[in-house]
Amino acid sequence: MKKLSDSVEINGINFIAEAERKGSAKSLFWPWAAANVSFLAISYGSFFLGFGISFWQATAAAIIGTIGSFSIVAISSLAGKRANAPTMTLSRAAFGVKGNRLPGLLSYLIFVGWETVLVSLATLASGTVLTRIGNIDTDISRVLGFMLAGGLTIIGGVLGFKVIMKIQLYLTVITIFLTAGYIALTIDSVDWSKVSALPTGPTSGFIGAIIFAITGIGLGWVGCAADYSRYLPRKVSGKSVIGWTIFGASIVPIILVIYGSLLAASSEELNSKVASDPIGALTTLLPTWYLIPFALVAVLGLIGGAILDLYSSGLTLVSIGLPVKRYVAAGIDGLIMTIGTIYLVWFASDFFVPFQGFLITLGVPVAVWSGLFAADVLMRKSYSESELFDPNGRYGSYNFKSIGLIGFGTIIGWGLVTNSLASWLSWQGYFLSIVGGKDGSWAYANLGVIAALLIGFFGHIVLSRKQIKNQEINSSKR
C-alpha cells in the first residue's frame, strides 16, 4: 500500500515547481503516440468511405484532417511549457477565473465521452475475441473485457503523470509491433481492383471526411494539450514541442486510416460490420492463432487514449470547482465512465449513431473553444500564476467577450451540421438552406465545425488582442 500511495501524483491544477520540470520535447512522442495507436483508426477508413469518396480522397482527408487537428493541439501545448500548468487552469486567462467553468464543462464532457467510447470499444473487441476463442457467452466475455479495460484505465488515470508516461512508452512499443503483425496478416485481403474502382466523390464528401478526421481524431485532445507538456522546463524549444506533438500523434493514425480504407473498399461485408462493432469486425480477417495478440493490441491501444482522457477529466473537474484532490476526481470520472460504457455496450442498438451524434454536437462548441484557446496562446507570452486563481486579478472573474463568442460560434456551427440518423439531433442544420438544405450535397459535410473553429480563432484575435496586449504591458511593469 505504501508503494502504491507513493505512486499517486499529488499535483493538480497548480503550477509545477521548477525542481519538478524535467525532460525534453521528445518525451511528448510517447503519450501522444500511445493514445493514438488504435485499431479504431483502421475502422475510421470505413467511416471515411461512408462519405461517398474514393480511396485517394480518403487518404488526402486523413492526412489533412489529422495533421491539421493536431497542429491545434501542438500550439495549445505551448501554453503548458510556458506556464507549467494544466490546460484548463491556463484557459482562465481567456475566460476569467469563474467564466472558465463553461469551457471546462465542455472539455469535461468531451473527455468523459471519449474515455467511455474507448473503453466501450475495448469491451466489445474483447468480447468478440473471447467468444470466438473460448466459445464463452457473449455477455460474460464482454464483462471480462470491461473489467480489464476499465480497471487499467481507472488505475492509470488515478495514479497520474509519472506512471502514465511510463505506461505510454511500453504501450506504444507493444501496440506498434502487434499492429504491424495485423497488417502483415491481412494485407492479402486488399483487392486493388475494387479499391481503384471507387469513383471520385463530391467535394462536399471530401470536406466532410476532413472535418470528421478533425473532430474524431485530434480536436478532442486540445483540452488536455498542456497537461502533458507542463512538466517540461521552460527553456525547451517551442518548435520542438509543436513538432514532436504533431509527429507522435499523427503518424500512426494516418497510416492506419489509409490501410483501413483499403480493407473497407475491398470488402462490402467488412464495411457493413464496422458500423456496429468497429474493432471486433476486424477479427474476421485474422487466423484464430492471432486473435489473442489482436485482443491485446486492441485493448491496450484503446486504453492508451482512455487513460489520458480520464487523467485530464480529473484535472478539469477540479478546475471547474469540485473541492477534491485530482485522484479523487479521477475516481469519480471512472464511475461515470462505467455507467456510460454499460449503456453503449449493452443498450445502444448501433455504435456509430450515438458516436457520430456525440462528436458532432459537442464538437461544435469545443471547436469554438479550441480555436479561441489556440489564438490566445499565440497572442499571450506569459501568465500570472497567482492571478489565475484570483477573480479580482488581471484576468477577472468573467470575460463575457470570450463567453459570448462560444455562444455565437455554437449557434452558427449547429446551424451548419446535421445527423438525420439520430432523431434527437433533428433540430440541427437550421442554416443549411444557404447551401442546399438538409438534403443537399453539403448537408453531411459538417461545415459547422470548421465555421466554429474559425469563429473562435479569428473572433478572439479581433475582440481580445488589445486587452491581452495591455495585460502583457502591465505585467512587464510589475
Side-chain angles (χ1 to χ4, degrees), residues 24 26 95 98 154 229-230 250 259 281 302 319 344 399 424:
S24 65
K26 292 181 181 180
F95 287 87
K98 295 182 179 179
I154 293 173
S229 59
R230 77 190 203 276
S250 300
Y259 186 66
L302 294 166
S319 76
L344 281 181
N399 186 331
W424 59 281

Side-chain angles (χ1 to χ4, degrees), residues 38-39 42-43 132 174-190 256 259-260 263-264 270 274 278-287 289-291 293-295 297-298:
S38 169
F39 279 135
I42 296 180
S43 297
R132 184 173 169 186
I174 294 171
T175 52
I176 287 180
F177 177 77
L178 294 177
T179 301
Y182 178 88
I183 293 175
L185 290 170
T186 59
I187 191 70
D188 289 340
S189 299
V190 175
L256 295 184
Y259 186 66
L263 293 178
L270 175 66
V274 164
I279 305 298
L282 301 177
T283 64
T284 59
L285 304 177
L286 286 173
W289 67 267
Y290 202 76
L291 288 178
F294 174 89
V297 70

Side-chain angles (χ1 to χ4, degrees), residues 295-456:
L296 180 63
V297 70
V299 172
L300 293 181
L302 294 166
I303 288 174
I307 288 175
L308 296 193
D309 281 322
L310 186 62
Y311 174 71
S312 290
S313 67
L315 286 171
T316 302
L317 194 56
V318 175
S319 76
I320 61 179
L322 188 68
V324 297
K325 298 293 186 179
R326 180 206 60 80
Y327 49 85
V328 175
I332 294 172
D333 295 337
L335 176 61
I336 296 173
M337 177 194 72
T338 298
I339 296 172
T341 299
I342 291 173
Y343 166 74
L344 281 181
V345 172
W346 280 277
F347 295 98
S349 59
D350 187 0
F351 175 84
F352 187 58
V353 171
F355 180 55
Q356 188 181 43
F358 161 74
L359 279 179
I360 294 172
T361 302
L362 281 185
V364 169
V366 168
V368 185
W369 175 84
S370 298
L372 190 156
F373 185 67
D376 194 79
V377 172
L378 292 175
M379 291 189 291
R380 197 180 300 276
K381 304 303 180 183
S382 63
Y383 297 85
S384 171
E385 177 177 354
S386 61
E387 292 181 275
L388 283 170
F389 297 89
D390 181 8
N392 298 315
R394 78 180 68 172
Y395 305 119
S397 184
Y398 295 91
N399 186 331
F400 290 105
K401 289 186 291 186
S402 295
I403 295 172
L405 197 58
I406 291 283
F408 175 72
T410 299
I411 292 172
I412 298 298
W414 277 341
L416 293 172
V417 298
T418 187
N419 180 10
S420 62
L421 296 177
S423 59
W424 59 281
L425 295 174
S426 60
W427 54 270
Q428 294 178 350
Y430 39 83
F431 289 143
L432 283 173
S433 58
I434 301 173
V435 289
K438 293 186 178 182
D439 297 320
S441 60
W442 288 96
Y444 296 96
N446 296 325
L447 296 173
V449 177
I450 292 299
L453 187 68
L454 295 176
I455 287 173

Side-chain angles (χ1 to χ4, degrees), residues 38 40 43-44 114-127 149 274 276-280 298-299 302 341 344-345 351 355:
S38 169
L40 179 59
S43 297
Y44 270 25
W114 266 114
E115 68 200 34
T116 302
V117 164
L118 294 174
V119 172
S120 297
L121 287 170
T123 300
L124 288 170
S126 300
V274 164
S276 59
D277 189 357
I279 305 298
V299 172
L302 294 166
T341 299
L344 281 181
V345 172
F351 175 84
F355 180 55

